[in-house]
Amino acid sequence: MPEVQSQNTVGLVESSTFLFDQPLALACGETLNAYELAYETYGKLNSTGDNAILVCHALSGTHHLAGYYSEDDPKPGWWENLVGPGKVIDTNRFFVVGVNNLGGCHGSTGPTTINPDTDKPYGPDFPMVTVTDWVESQNRLTTKLGIEQWAAVIGGSLGGMQVLQWSIDYPERLRHAIVIAASSKLTAQNIAFNEVARQAIRTDPDFHDGHYYEHNTIPEKGLRIARMLGHLTYLSDDIMAEKFGRDLREDTINFDYGIEFQVESYLRHQADRFVGTFDANTYLLMTKALDYFDPATEAGSSLSAVLSKACADFFVLSFTGDWRFSPQRSHEIVKALHDNDLNVSYAEIESHHGHDAFLLALPQYLSVFGTYMDRITSECTK
Amino acid sequence: MPEVQSQNTVGLVESSTFLFDQPLALACGETLNAYELAYETYGKLNSTGDNAILVCHALSGTHHLAGYYSEDDPKPGWWENLVGPGKVIDTNRFFVVGVNNLGGCHGSTGPTTINPDTDKPYGPDFPMVTVTDWVESQNRLTTKLGIEQWAAVIGGSLGGMQVLQWSIDYPERLRHAIVIAASSKLTAQNIAFNEVARQAIRTDPDFHDGHYYEHNTIPEKGLRIARMLGHLTYLSDDIMAEKFGRDLREDTINFDYGIEFQVESYLRHQADRFVGTFDANTYLLMTKALDYFDPATEAGSSLSAVLSKACADFFVLSFTGDWRFSPQRSHEIVKALHDNDLNVSYAEIESHHGHDAFLLALPQYLSVFGTYMDRITSECTK
């Protein structure tokens, strides 16, 4: 039986798009006069509309959280491990919404979209978007979908940053904020990794200052470096040792620049997969949104002060082996929430999988996350 | 007073070169019929020749350990912090030798050297060199210098790997092996970082499969990425937070791809400095030597078994904040040495400086290292 027909998945899904024709003033000072957001929904909104869940995506994620686009689709949505019937984010109980962020390359308006003013793709002229802008656009989507208040807004990594911003900008519009493997701001090291990735893309001669669509090129070399570097840092040293160690691809060392070690093969494979599916200008935008995120700046650099606006119940999760968004970053968030006497649950999941852990079906993770989701269920109208 | 005239430095120094005309059979299967090694010496060899110290360099190091090349030389040798009169590696007491590794780009035969068979630079045809090959070539240099036995062979990082290999291949020829911030083999994560750097260089259109000298280009874009990535991983998350944090270069965010954060400025500056002084083919060779190093393979993957050949006294140092060559890697070395009942001192230096710590004048480091060097002094002829 094909995976798509299993009991365990939402099965065949379709994306939708909403057009927004009210101008959106962005943090960078520019305005988008109109834009589209691509989204997907799973499950049913109940009669009182109190079982809706928004999932925000990370750097290279999309609105396609779960299910398949066709009977022979080889890969389900990126959070298939957690979203589906009977799963942690149970589509039998919740109305789950995924949305592609503005600036993305999977259906929402972004650099690859035709700019109505020029009849050419926006390319590098697409304005810089921030987490705040995303939350504002998602807030408008919320209204369009007829949802008064989310039962929960959930996200991992850059997705978790959006959850934090939601709780600050629209505190009344979410009952629960679930912040996974996130941070209230990037460290210098994280900014540095992003900058190296950006430099790789921007110095690729095929980048043409971002106008590569017109040159019929893609900055493939730079995008490959960016993706390899990303993957490398999303895994922990330990899991890489376990997965690859010093295993050779062939029995012997060849003393050349072909693939010698299995880990080199893994990286090149990940790069191959990415290059055909992800837009370089979008990648740049997403890394900048990560760098800029620091909600405390609007409250004198005090995370506690800015989170005084929040009123949601919070569930914060981190993973011990995550060195890009370490548990310490989550502790800082939890402390700031406690400073405001908010209801906070915190779970630190034992895992040696690195930052990518939030995507995986790790038993302890599923268990504590599922328990929290049961609590949300109990608050929803039957 | 210019720094070069201070009491604290070896002052003005000159490099020398030895020509070796005995063929050198390399681990990769190729043979170098003749080659030169550039080296520098500081201090005086005593009458019995028992006060000689060899310092092996790391990835981007050279034979220029200390001192200045001219009165207005802006920068001393790379280990000026530790090598000099009255310093840890005291040139008043020891005859200290630095050597540029084969395959290097600072005077020893390498990719930039004219290949006598073709009258063109070796370029990518320069054979792959390994740590074993370096030790063999350094051993020949030892003989040329009239040194029977080194009082100590010392090195950090890739230099420490050479020290380990020295203790295995020429156990009688060194009394002390000082292995700093090193590893008996790279982890998958380290290989992966090297591979990303190599891909950045090798996919740069100006690389021309390594024949860039003939094209009057240098793969500057790739080399910049490699260097930025290197620097980023030689520092710890903590020291980057302390040095740069989220400090902006200007007072405000510009929402563009110029330099926003100080850490971006730092990375670009490091890249600028490197590109004019280091050869890309050498960089590739050095990273491969790192990847391949695994002396245990010749003894059924047992580090203890291969170190049974060693008879030196060992001093192993690691740094707590070093995540590229973590203390755990040094523990593995120490354990294998203990398995062989060798004399081992081990120091784990508290530091949040990352891998680069071994280059710095950290008080605890200088103190324990200096104490060990005093012991070596006491064994030398007055």
Side-chain angles (χ1 to χ4, degrees), chain B residues 100-113 126 279 282 285-286:
Chain B
N100 187 213
N101 283 346
L102 213 49
C105 53
H106 290 88
S108 292
T109 301
T112 58
T113 309
F126 194 85
D279 177 64
T282 288
L285 284 177
M286 298 285 159

Side-chain angles (χ1 to χ4, degrees), chain A residues 98-283:
Chain A
V99 56
N100 187 210
N101 284 346
L102 213 48
C105 54
H106 290 88
S108 291
T109 301
T112 59
T113 308
I114 298 296
N115 179 349
D117 294 342
T118 63
D119 281 334
K120 291 196 286 191
Y122 279 99
D125 300 328
F126 194 84
M128 206 69 93
V129 280
T130 63
V131 170
T132 318
D133 300 327
W134 287 336
V135 168
E136 179 55 35
S137 67
Q138 290 162 9
N139 181 58
R140 294 182 183 188
L141 176 69
T142 309
T143 305
K144 280 251 194 192
L145 290 168
I147 293 161
E148 196 72 29
Q149 184 188 54
W150 297 103
V153 180
I154 305 178
S157 189
L158 178 55
M161 292 173 163
Q162 293 163 64
V163 177
L164 272 182
Q165 194 69 50
W166 259 100
S167 77
I168 295 163
D169 290 351
Y170 291 100
E172 305 288 349
R173 224 164 178 184
L174 67 163
R175 291 202 300 283
H176 295 269
I178 303 187
V179 180
I180 309 169
S183 172
S184 67
K185 59 184 177 195
L186 289 197
T187 62
Q189 188 187 61
N190 274 328
I191 295 171
F193 276 120
N194 282 344
E195 170 66 2
V196 174
R198 282 192 295 264
Q199 288 292 317
I201 291 170
R202 296 183 58 81
T203 62
D204 184 330
D206 288 328
F207 181 66
H208 296 291
D209 286 329
H211 295 283
Y212 47 88
Y213 319 107
E214 298 161 45
H215 289 81
N216 276 319
T217 59
I218 51 170
E220 183 179 321
K221 297 176 287 295
L223 205 49
R224 290 179 62 89
I225 297 298
R227 188 55 166 177
M228 288 193 277
L229 184 54
H231 264 282
L232 160 47
T233 64
Y234 303 150
L235 299 178
S236 70
D237 193 18
D238 285 350
I239 192 70
M240 292 187 89
E242 186 180 305
K243 276 188 171 196
F244 312 112
R246 295 180 53 85
D247 294 350
L248 297 170
R249 194 160 75 152
E250 296 169 18
D251 286 343
T252 178
I253 285 177
N254 295 316
F255 293 106
D256 62 28
Y257 291 100
I259 294 170
E260 300 267 33
F261 294 96
Q262 289 292 4
V263 67
E264 296 171 312
S265 175
Y266 168 80
L267 289 177
R268 294 194 197 183
H269 174 69
Q270 294 297 338
D272 291 341
R273 272 183 40 181
F274 196 59
V275 161
T277 59
F278 210 86
D279 177 63
N281 280 320
T282 288
Y283 198 85

Side-chain angles (χ1 to χ4, degrees), chain A residues 198 221 246 260 291-292, chain B residues 203 246 260 264 291-292:
Chain A
R198 282 192 295 264
K221 297 176 287 295
R246 295 180 53 85
E260 300 267 33
D291 286 7
Y292 291 140
Chain B
T203 62
R246 295 179 54 82
E260 299 268 33
E264 297 172 312
D291 286 6
Y292 291 140

Side-chain angles (χ1 to χ4, degrees), chain A residues 27-28 128 130 185-193 195-196 198-200 202-205 221 224-225 228-229 232-233 235-237 240-241 244-246 253-258 260-261 263-264 267-268 281 284-285 288 290-294 323 329, chain B residues 27-28 128 130 185-193 195-196 198-200 202-205 221 224-225 228-229 232-233 235-237 240-241 244-246 253-258 260-261 263-264 267-268 281 284-285 288 290-294 323 329:
Chain A
C28 67
M128 206 69 93
T130 63
K185 59 184 177 195
L186 289 197
T187 62
Q189 188 187 61
N190 274 328
I191 295 171
F193 276 120
E195 170 66 2
V196 174
R198 282 192 295 264
Q199 288 292 317
R202 296 183 58 81
T203 62
D204 184 330
K221 297 176 287 295
R224 290 179 62 89
I225 297 298
M228 288 193 277
L229 184 54
L232 160 47
T233 64
L235 299 178
S236 70
D237 193 18
M240 292 187 89
F244 312 112
R246 295 180 53 85
I253 285 177
N254 295 316
F255 293 106
D256 62 28
Y257 291 100
E260 300 267 33
F261 294 96
V263 67
E264 296 171 312
L267 289 177
R268 294 194 197 183
N281 280 320
L284 295 173
L285 284 177
K288 288 298 265 186
L290 273 163
D291 286 7
Y292 291 140
F293 182 70
D294 186 4
W323 60 278
R329 302 284 86 76
Chain B
C28 68
M128 205 71 91
T130 64
K185 59 185 177 193
L186 289 197
T187 63
Q189 190 188 60
N190 274 329
I191 295 172
F193 277 119
E195 171 66 1
V196 173
R198 282 192 295 265
Q199 288 292 317
R202 296 184 57 81
T203 62
D204 184 329
K221 299 177 286 295
R224 289 180 63 88
I225 298 298
M228 288 194 276
L229 184 54
L232 160 47
T233 65
L235 299 178
S236 71
D237 193 16
M240 292 186 88
F244 313 111
R246 295 179 54 82
I253 285 177
N254 295 315
F255 294 106
D256 62 28
Y257 292 101
E260 299 268 33
F261 295 95
V263 66
E264 297 172 312
L267 290 176
R268 293 193 198 182
N281 280 319
L284 295 173
L285 284 177
K288 288 297 265 187
L290 273 163
D291 286 6
Y292 291 140
F293 182 69
D294 187 4
W323 58 279
R329 302 284 86 76

Side-chain angles (χ1 to χ4, degrees), chain B residues 163-288:
Chain B
V163 178
L164 272 182
Q165 195 70 51
W166 258 102
S167 77
I168 294 163
D169 290 351
Y170 291 100
E172 305 290 348
R173 223 161 180 187
L174 66 163
R175 290 201 302 281
H176 294 270
I178 302 186
V179 180
I180 309 168
S183 170
S184 66
K185 59 185 177 193
L186 289 197
T187 63
Q189 190 188 60
N190 274 329
I191 295 172
F193 277 119
N194 282 343
E195 171 66 1
V196 173
R198 282 192 295 265
Q199 288 292 317
I201 292 171
R202 296 184 57 81
T203 62
D204 184 329
D206 288 327
F207 181 66
H208 297 290
D209 286 329
H211 296 283
Y212 46 89
Y213 319 108
E214 298 160 45
H215 290 80
N216 276 319
T217 59
I218 52 170
E220 182 177 325
K221 299 177 286 295
L223 204 50
R224 289 180 63 88
I225 298 298
R227 188 56 168 178
M228 288 194 276
L229 184 54
H231 265 282
L232 160 47
T233 65
Y234 303 150
L235 299 178
S236 71
D237 193 16
D238 285 348
I239 191 72
M240 292 186 88
E242 186 180 306
K243 276 187 171 199
F244 313 111
R246 295 179 54 82
D247 294 350
L248 297 170
R249 194 161 75 152
E250 297 168 19
D251 285 343
T252 178
I253 285 177
N254 295 315
F255 294 106
D256 62 28
Y257 292 101
I259 294 172
E260 299 268 33
F261 295 95
Q262 289 292 4
V263 66
E264 297 172 312
S265 175
Y266 168 80
L267 290 176
R268 293 193 198 182
H269 173 70
Q270 294 297 337
D272 291 341
R273 271 182 42 178
F274 196 60
V275 161
T277 59
F278 210 87
D279 177 64
N281 280 319
T282 288
Y283 198 85
L284 295 173
L285 284 177
M286 298 285 159
T287 64
K288 288 297 265 187

Side-chain angles (χ1 to χ4, degrees), chain A residues 48-100:
Chain A
T48 57
D50 67 0
N51 70 332
I53 285 179
L54 175 66
V55 175
C56 304
H57 70 71
L59 181 56
S60 60
T62 70
H63 54 296
H64 182 40
L65 310 178
Y68 299 81
Y69 285 144
S70 68
E71 291 285 342
D72 54 2
D73 189 346
K75 264 193 78 186
W78 61 267
W79 229 10
E80 181 76 12
N81 280 329
L82 277 88
V83 177
K87 295 186 179 175
V88 165
I89 301 174
D90 188 348
T91 51
N92 292 332
R93 298 186 268 163
F94 297 109
F95 176 64
V96 182
V97 178
V99 56
N100 187 210

